[in-house]
Amino acid sequence: MSYILVLYHSSHGSVKHLAHEIADAIEQHGCEVKLRTFVAQQPDDIVVSKEDLRDCQALAFGTPTRFGMMAAQAKTFWESTSDLWLKGALIDKPACVFSSSSSMHGGNETTLLTLALPLLHHGMMLLGVPYDVPELSSTQTGGTPYGATHVAGLDNTNELSKDEQKICHAIGKRLAIISEKLSS
């Protein structure tokens, strides 16, 4: 059975919350989801394998911002995927990206762009958040046309806002719909 892989790294829990919101939307659309991390930090975390990536029909990928770049744990994993790249194993699979930062101008958009780079090199089709999602135009917290984002606060205590949740659901649903269209 095919599945959508939701792959993330989360240092303080914010990106994990985003991942679960996106996964919920994918499941609500009737698709199977596999949640994977780069490093197990909690007992229920499952570490990603290259086979998880190779065999998925679509990918949602997220990390916290690290000075406008992806987390090192994710970069290390992507650097190990040359064998998949040489085989073209990910070509034409749809994907989306998501991120969290501590402040409103903490680098979410540039992080989303760095998350997109290995996906584009692998030939994946990057999906953004279209402006028919009304929360994208009204959010006072996270959310960009590049992907779902969260502003966690300097002390990392901000919960996902309603707008951030709706943007996560929109991109998760869009990923599921496009994935289904491509696989039929």
Side-chain angles (χ1 to χ4, degrees), residues 47-112:
V47 175
V48 68
S49 69
K50 285 196 281 184
E51 291 75 24
D52 290 327
L53 184 60
R54 180 195 66 211
D55 297 340
C56 73
Q57 73 181 43
L59 171 69
F61 166 44
T63 79
T65 66
R66 293 294 180 257
F67 301 104
M69 298 177 285
M70 75 174 72
Q73 296 84 344
K75 187 173 185 299
T76 298
F77 175 79
W78 284 106
E79 288 177 355
S80 76
T81 63
S82 294
D83 57 328
L84 297 177
W85 175 75
L86 287 168
K87 295 174 186 168
L90 306 181
I91 291 174
D92 291 339
K93 291 184 182 192
C96 67
V97 292
F98 56 100
S99 183
S100 177
S101 66
S102 61
S103 66
M104 188 62 123
H105 303 289
N108 272 325
E109 287 187 340
T110 56
T111 299
L112 295 175

Side-chain angles (χ1 to χ4, degrees), residues 151-163:
V151 178
L154 295 177
D155 56 1
N156 200 49
T157 58
N158 294 351
E159 294 185 15
L160 295 181
S161 71
K162 295 289 184 205
D163 286 343

Side-chain angles (χ1 to χ4, degrees), residues 94-135:
C96 67
V97 292
F98 56 100
S99 183
S100 177
S101 66
S102 61
S103 66
M104 188 62 123
H105 303 289
N108 272 325
E109 287 187 340
T110 56
T111 299
L112 295 175
L113 294 173
T114 67
L115 297 177
L117 294 176
L119 310 183
L120 293 170
H121 276 270
H122 274 283
M124 299 184 88
M125 296 182 289
L126 191 62
L127 304 177
V129 180
Y131 277 94
D132 69 346
V133 177
E135 292 77 16

Side-chain angles (χ1 to χ4, degrees), residues 143-179:
T144 78
Y146 309 130
T149 62
H150 172 60
V151 178
L154 295 177
D155 56 1
N156 200 49
T157 58
N158 294 351
E159 294 185 15
L160 295 181
S161 71
K162 295 289 184 205
D163 286 343
E164 291 169 338
Q165 290 173 354
K166 288 181 180 180
I167 292 168
C168 283
H169 281 259
I171 195 66
K173 179 181 176 184
R174 184 167 191 226
L175 185 62
I177 288 169
I178 298 300
S179 173

